[in-house]
Amino acid sequence: MVTSMSRRQALGLGSAGAAAVLLGTGAWNAAGAFAAPKAGNPFTLGVASGDPAPDGVVLWTRLATDPFAVDGQGGMPDKPVRVEFELARDERFRSVVRRGSVVATPELGHSVHPEIHGLAPNHVYYYRFRTGGETSPVGRTRTLPPRHSNPRQLAFAFASCQAWQDGYFTAFDHIAADDLDFVVHLGDYIYEYGVGANKRGVTVDPRFTTETFDLARYRLQYSLYKVEGPLRNAHAAHPFITTFDDHEVENNWAGDISEIDKEPDQDRAVFRQRRADAFQAMYENLPLRRAQTPSGPDIHIYRRFNYGRLADLTMLDTRQYRDDQPCGDGGGTVCDDRFSPDRTILGAKQRDWLLKGFSRSDARWQILGNQAPMGQTDRAPGPAVDVWYDPWDGYVADRNRVLAAAQDRGVRNLVVITGDRHQNYAWDLKRDYADPTSPTVATEFVGTSVTSGADGADMNSDGEKFLAANPHMKFFNAQRGYVRVNVNRDRWQSDYRVLPFVTKPDAPVSTRASFVVEDRIPGVQNA
């Protein structure tokens, strides 16, 4: 394990953990308890909720008395363990609305995902788990408004890219402190790399220095990330809506194809097994519903959330169904294949589902939760267009189809939220970047990383090049942080929340810039 973990981190006594200690276990029905066979605190990885609906939410915990056990079993026995849960209207559990139990099995890493139904819409609830005489920290969650209601506003944050080796997860403490309806995580929740060399300057156990390939190792990697107090605090404070990008499996993977020149998974069968292990560990460690249970190397992660008639949030999957990157997975100025009409980043089935959603929705705001930047990123001022091929720039036909459909089908306001790039952008999305007269049809806010890239800077050489080469780009910043969003019936506001450093803990947060989108006026405006 990491030898420099503080006592506060080890105990997990953030606000949610402290509440569990104060409340005790008097409200529990002891008759239903089922003791875990091994002694020790099984809630070292915290609690979480996710995928909220108007009438319910999924709760999560994963039992691990020793989260860094080398076999990936978390110190748990090779047999099922019964886990009780409670959900209440108040944080002292005087008004309990649901009690029940679920079974944590070794086949799913002793994780549980009870799905709670029949709750009041647009309501805050508190929850906790118990097993073997131990009680978990208390989590707070919230249901969504009724499907056909007309909410006044929505507040959420989005984040991505939290490489453990690059710094501390302080941004999540600030997210936990924000007043939010939910948090959207856009991918790279873990990185598959070994973390021996790290910007924290701490000594790391040798088991974490190798790259992640199999289930036991993926479980260890999630444990390394999830023992971090700030991440546990954010999960306990808000429901999360998650998708994945590449590093949950492997850098720049595409469909059944591993990254170029990587061994041993150049064989597609070997890579599919790696994908299956990665998706299982992801499911075990995130608050995902039964519908997202992996089937071998496949998982259905694209899905839609309705925030009344104010907003629809559509979470995309730009990895499983894509064609291989054109012309290799790098970038350049000469690659005709990136314009091929047959090339897809979404796959035909997901794209058709997305476009039908545009036509059927009555929401004022359409939000796409997207992994890699959709807007064109020209890396060099001048006549030649120099782009990366892994994001939507490598799949131009799909980008043009989606943006054209949004305009042609009368989408009132389309806003794309994106991670991946470790930089902050605010820019306009054009119907066709090859046409200088092409209209702006949507807006994209690209959020920086939580830690990936280490401390960062307000402006760097990338920013100077990008602002000069991309007239649709209105803002650039390369610090670490997250984006806080407030949406009402008349406008969308994105606040770029940045930290001055992440290689040391406890960084303060500030709002570097704010931008708005006005109702029925696509494109970025200053707040």
Side-chain angles (χ1 to χ4, degrees):
M1 61 183 276
V2 181
T3 57
S4 68
M5 185 186 300
S6 70
R7 175 176 170 81
R8 181 178 176 85
Q9 287 174 317
L11 294 175
L13 297 183
S15 57
V21 173
L22 293 172
L23 289 169
T25 61
W28 288 91
N29 178 1
F34 186 91
K38 289 190 177 181
N41 174 21
F43 299 110
T44 56
L45 303 180
V47 300
S49 68
D51 280 21
D55 70 338
V57 68
V58 59
L59 307 181
W60 171 92
T61 193
R62 179 180 165 222
L63 307 180
T65 55
D66 178 7
F68 302 130
V70 70
D71 61 0
Q73 293 291 344
M76 298 299 294
D78 190 24
K79 56 183 176 180
V81 176
R82 186 169 297 279
V83 183
E84 294 178 312
F85 63 84
E86 278 190 324
L87 189 83
R89 292 188 179 93
D90 65 299
E91 59 187 328
R92 298 192 68 84
F93 289 83
R94 291 171 175 165
S95 179
V96 174
V97 296
R98 289 290 186 279
R99 279 195 182 99
S101 66
V102 286
V103 176
T105 66
E107 289 78 13
L108 285 177
H110 288 95
S111 64
V112 294
H113 303 74
E115 296 185 22
I116 313 300
H117 303 282
L119 302 180
N122 200 27
H123 198 89
V124 171
Y125 291 93
Y126 299 86
Y127 61 93
R128 59 187 178 183
F129 297 91
R130 184 183 186 222
T131 191
E134 297 281 348
T135 303
S136 76
V138 173
R140 176 183 179 276
T141 192
R142 183 191 294 263
T143 54
L144 300 185
R147 171 67 183 87
H148 298 292
S149 65
N150 194 14
R152 293 175 58 188
Q153 65 176 359
L154 161 65
F156 70 95
F158 67 90
S160 66
C161 303
Q162 53 207 50
W164 185 95
Q165 63 271 20
D166 282 0
Y168 291 87
F169 293 175
T170 311
F172 282 114
D173 269 337
H174 298 297
I175 288 174
D178 279 337
D179 184 11
L180 305 171
D181 294 297
F182 52 76
V183 175
V184 179
H185 199 289
L186 294 168
D188 294 344
Y189 189 97
I190 65 164
Y191 280 67
E192 80 280 21
Y193 305 137
V195 299
N198 65 82
K199 300 293 176 62
R200 299 174 176 219
V202 299
T203 301
V204 177
D205 189 290
R207 77 193 74 181
F208 293 107
T209 62
T210 59
E211 184 160 347
T212 308
F213 282 100
D214 59 27
L215 178 58
R217 181 68 179 84
Y218 277 111
R219 285 172 171 171
L220 278 177
Q221 199 78 338
Y222 275 98
S223 292
L224 178 68
Y225 283 56
K226 294 185 77 70
V227 298
E228 292 288 303
L231 181 57
R232 293 200 315 277
N233 291 341
H235 273 298
H238 309 295
F240 271 53
I241 297 172
T242 62
T243 186
F244 54 81
D245 191 18
D246 52 344
H247 288 288
E248 286 85 353
V249 180
E250 178 200 56
N251 183 53
N252 283 0
W253 65 279
D256 290 340
I257 302 170
S258 173
E259 186 182 17
I260 293 173
D261 297 330
K262 291 295 288 286
E263 296 292 346
D265 55 359
Q266 285 298 289
D267 180 275
R268 292 199 181 194
V270 174
F271 179 66
R272 284 179 67 80
Q273 182 59 53
R274 181 181 188 180
R275 213 173 83 176
D277 291 345
F279 285 162
Q280 178 172 336
M282 181 183 73
Y283 177 78
E284 292 172 352
N285 285 281
L286 290 178
L288 294 169
R289 290 184 179 268
R290 197 173 303 111
Q292 278 64 61
T293 307
S295 176
D298 303 313
I299 186 171
H300 188 98
I301 205 72
Y302 66 86
R303 60 212 193 279
R304 185 174 288 116
F305 300 85
N306 310 116
Y307 199 82
R309 291 189 295 171
L310 179 65
D312 283 353
L313 169 62
T314 301
M315 299 297 285
L316 298 180
D317 176 352
T318 61
R319 286 290 162 191
Q320 276 190 102
Y321 316 112
R322 66 158 65 193
D323 294 315
D324 196 12
Q325 293 91 346
C327 310
D329 65 352
T333 60
V334 181
C335 181
D336 291 340
D337 192 28
R338 74 186 187 95
F339 297 99
S340 169
D342 299 326
R343 173 167 293 283
T344 180
I345 194 171
L346 295 174
K349 183 178 179 181
Q350 181 182 192
R351 185 179 61 243
D352 290 347
W353 168 82
L354 171 62
L355 301 190
K356 287 177 182 176
F358 285 166
S359 298
R360 295 171 180 169
S361 175
D362 60 357
R364 187 175 295 247
W365 298 89
Q366 288 285 334
I367 310 167
L368 299 188
N370 169 58
Q371 289 92 336
M374 184 177 286
Q376 180 170 285
T377 311
D378 188 354
R379 302 182 295 179
V385 176
D386 183 356
V387 297
W388 284 290
Y389 301 148
D390 181 68
W392 290 72
D393 276 330
Y395 305 82
V396 172
D398 247 12
R399 176 172 67 199
N400 290 353
R401 279 190 286 259
V402 169
L403 294 177
Q407 185 179 42
D408 295 344
R409 300 185 186 208
V411 172
R412 181 165 175 164
N413 300 291
L414 178 62
V415 180
V416 182
I417 58 174
T418 300
D420 177 70
R421 195 56 64 80
H422 312 168
Q423 296 166 343
N424 286 314
Y425 311 158
W427 59 14
D428 300 339
L429 292 177
K430 300 291 185 177
R431 181 166 176 144
D432 181 0
Y433 284 96
D435 178 3
T437 67
S438 184
T440 296
V441 298
T443 310
E444 183 173 22
F445 294 106
V446 178
T448 188
S449 59
V450 171
T451 61
S452 302
D455 287 339
D458 185 57
M459 180 60 65
N460 60 21
S461 59
D462 278 350
E464 294 168 358
K465 291 185 297 184
F466 293 168
L467 289 168
N470 299 282
H472 54 282
M473 177 179 278
K474 312 301 181 182
F475 174 69
F476 175 93
N477 168 273
Q479 291 170 283
R480 307 283 77 83
Y482 63 99
V483 181
R484 185 177 61 195
V485 176
N486 183 275
V487 187
N488 63 33
R489 298 168 193 172
D490 299 318
R491 62 105 186 97
W492 167 300
Q493 179 165 322
S494 289
D495 298 328
Y496 286 91
R497 304 279 283 166
V498 300
L499 281 67
F501 53 83
V502 294
T503 51
K504 298 179 293 183
D506 302 322
V509 69
S510 62
T511 299
R512 169 63 182 81
S514 297
F515 296 93
V516 301
V517 181
E518 300 287 350
D519 182 31
R520 298 187 187 274
I521 305 175
V524 176
Q525 300 181 44
N526 288 322

